[in-house]
Amino acid sequence: MFQTGVYRNAGTPLSMDGNGKVGQDGTRRSSKLLSLPLRYALSPGVAVMLVLSIISGITIALMETARHTGELTMWTFAKPHYDIYVPAVDEWNNEDKSEVDMFLIGRQVMDRRMLGGFLGEVPTADLLEAERSSASLTFAGPLDAVGFVDLTESLEEEGLLVKINKPSLSPWTYEGRIFGIPHDVHPVMLAYRADIIEEAGIDMQAVETWDDLYRVLGPLQQRRSKGHPMDRYVMSLWDSESDMLETLLLQSGGGAFLPDGTLAIDRDINVQTVSHMVSWMIGPDRVATHVPEFSPTGDQLKLDGHALCYLMPDWMCNVWRHNVPSLEGKVKLIPMPAWKPGGTRTSVWGGSMLGIAKTSSKQDEAWEFAKHLYLSEELALDLYRSGDIITPIREHWDNPVFAEPDAYFGGQRKGLMYIELADDVPNRPATPYFKQAREAVQNAVSRTKQEAASLDLYTPEQIEPIARRNLELAHIQVKTIVDANAFLREDSEEVSP
């Protein structure tokens, strides 16, 4: 099928690992990236990282020579994923097939080892489960320089494209070719403090737009006083939270990139969306506050009711379940309010994929194992039961597990609610620059917020010229980085020192 490369439950992160072989014919993949000085291919900072990655990759090969078994190796970065995969790997290894050796390694370590293998043309793992920020690093050059195997034909020939939620493929699709099987969908809903809101007699099902939300819940806001020890705001959203900002931009139809990967930070829809978001965060009538996730301080603020509403991707349900268990039964979900009537009621936050390394000498076996793992209904159900994550495999959505009432969310059938939004999750282009763009947009939002507040400009219309100027600056900043990639310039082969 593909041109070609024991699970022993390592139990702890591996300090130095990697597996797989160069092609059986002894040849190595050609890499145009190495044919040019790195400073002409990417930005100086990235070039330094790539040099270190190549050194790391060579070290991997040397360290692994003595212990290479010729069996399949898989890397994953997430402990919850690792734990869920153990039974599936055991089942595979009990059959008469190439045994899989699965390792848990940190995300930053995986990035270095993955790039070291792909760009240094030394073996990595046969299969790599990579988060969006990691996988995107491999999409900086021409198609033949991508270190993952192109899965497009295999997915088409085996009828898998119609089984996978289409938007979930977009972060792993580069120049029309698919390089990974999606692990998830990660639709986003709005969580709200049902105990406080419903006690006030407010029906959240009547909320359709963001304007509706602030109009309906505005009366529940309060400022600290003798009778109110804590400020209360409608929404948890702040300029320092780049993931939240990106989630809302994508929902509005904006984002830093067009569907084809073209940089478009300064387009009108982004200016309008940023202007509205900033207006929520400033002024005497502000409706948003900062309740950080993954923080004891943020957890206490949630318990205190500092904000009434929160962006809630499916996986975040599990974070709340473990970090603020005393809110069980006090929180419910609705689709995200739309930016305008009839608009999209969801967005997306996060994502991972499983890809096969081109350096693997057992690519066909790796493909069979990838399907065994990622297409499994049992695994999909375990992923939801233990992590609240919705599978991208559509044929599993009818399983009764997803229709079970969830006590934490007031008995709502949460799984079905997320599944109903899966088709509307925004597409996200595969680009190595999304982290830089996300940071630049976040900085632009912060500057806009500071400038508007200092000038006492609080409405979206008043804020828009400031937002436009700052987003234009952010666009120029990231475009400079993009333009430093020789592969994105015409006649890149003619670039010389």
Side-chain angles (χ1 to χ4, degrees), residues 206-215 248-254 268-269 272-273 276 280 335-346:
V207 171
E208 181 183 2
T209 67
W210 288 108
D211 288 343
D212 291 341
L213 182 76
Y214 296 124
R215 174 179 50 80
L248 287 166
L249 284 167
L250 289 170
Q251 186 210 10
S252 72
D268 288 344
I269 186 63
Q272 296 163 9
T273 305
H276 277 82
W280 300 343
M336 289 176 65
W339 284 97
K340 57 184 179 181
T344 303
R345 297 292 302 271
T346 191

Side-chain angles (χ1 to χ4, degrees), residues 59-80:
T59 304
I60 294 169
L62 295 175
M63 293 289 288
E64 285 297 313
T65 299
R67 62 188 296 274
H68 176 62
T69 66
E71 298 169 332
L72 294 174
T73 304
M74 174 178 165
W75 295 348
T76 181
F77 65 93
K79 182 65 162 59

Side-chain angles (χ1 to χ4, degrees), residues 24 35 76 91 138 247 255 271 275 380 414 439 458:
Q24 292 177 345
S35 68
T76 181
E91 179 185 1
T138 69
T247 297
V271 173
S275 300
K414 178 183 97 281
E439 180 181 352
Y458 303 134

Side-chain angles (χ1 to χ4, degrees), residues 359-370:
T359 53
S360 171
S361 63
K362 294 193 172 184
Q363 293 177 9
D364 289 346
E365 292 93 332
W367 171 243
E368 293 303 317
F369 176 74

Side-chain angles (χ1 to χ4, degrees), residues 282-283 447-459 462-463 465-466 469-470:
I282 61 174
R447 288 194 300 268
T448 300
K449 173 173 170 266
Q450 293 168 1
E451 293 179 33
S454 68
L455 296 171
D456 296 329
L457 302 176
Y458 303 134
T459 69
Q462 291 173 325
I463 296 169
I466 302 173
R469 173 166 43 81
N470 283 311

Side-chain angles (χ1 to χ4, degrees), residues 433-447:
Y433 305 106
F434 96 88
K435 290 176 67 175
Q436 295 96 324
R438 184 174 59 186
E439 180 181 352
V441 169
Q442 186 262 313
N443 289 335
V445 174
S446 292
R447 288 194 300 268

Side-chain angles (χ1 to χ4, degrees), residues 218-219 221-224 231-234 238 278-289 449 452-460 462-463:
Q221 291 208 150
Q222 62 188 32
R223 295 295 180 263
R224 187 176 305 169
D231 290 343
R232 176 176 293 158
Y233 296 90
V234 173
W238 211 239
V278 169
S279 74
W280 300 343
M281 303 177 202
I282 61 174
D285 298 321
R286 95 178 214 218
V287 291
T289 189
K449 173 173 170 266
S454 68
L455 296 171
D456 296 329
L457 302 176
Y458 303 134
T459 69
Q462 291 173 325
I463 296 169

